[in-house]
Amino acid sequence: MALQIYRCGTSIGANIAESRYAQSGADFVSKLSIALKEASETKFWLGNLFAAGLIDKRGYESMLADNTELMKMLISSIKTMKKKMGIL
């Protein structure tokens, strides 16, 4: 489980980094959408780590709050770009 959370967690950052040099608005939205999916998967694995007793409640709640805030920022960025592109 730790390896899975490492993979999806680092993928979030990698896709955000790639979005900085997106070739178009659609490419930007695509990269951030992938980051959002990876953040959702990270949330899933955090829940599994907590349920398995591998992280304590305080650590779980802290990481979950950080992940939730990141997801909110990604959603906001995606919506803003879609508005600029006339999709929303």
Side-chain angles (χ1 to χ4, degrees), residues 29-74:
V29 168
S30 176
K31 298 297 184 199
L32 290 190
S33 295
I34 293 168
L36 181 59
K37 289 178 186 180
E38 295 295 338
S40 177
E41 183 179 346
T42 299
K43 182 178 176 182
F44 169 80
W45 287 113
L46 284 172
N48 283 338
L49 287 173
F50 178 64
L54 298 171
I55 54 175
D56 63 15
K57 184 176 181 178
R58 183 175 173 202
Y60 168 70
E61 289 176 348
S62 175
M63 288 184 276
L64 183 63
D66 290 344
N67 191 64
T68 299
E69 188 63 28
L70 179 58
M71 290 178 74
K72 288 177 182 178
M73 288 188 284
L74 288 166

Side-chain angles (χ1 to χ4, degrees), residues 25-26 28-30 33 75-88:
F28 179 81
V29 168
S30 176
S33 295
I75 290 167
S76 178
S77 295
I78 291 165
K79 284 183 177 180
T80 298
M81 180 54 81
K82 284 184 172 181
K83 284 179 186 175
K84 287 182 181 180
M85 294 169 58
I87 296 173
L88 285 180

Side-chain angles (χ1 to χ4, degrees), residues 10-20 30-32 34-35 38:
T10 56
S11 180
I12 298 167
N15 279 287
I16 291 171
E18 285 185 40
S19 76
R20 291 185 200 140
S30 176
K31 298 297 184 199
L32 290 190
I34 293 168
E38 295 295 338

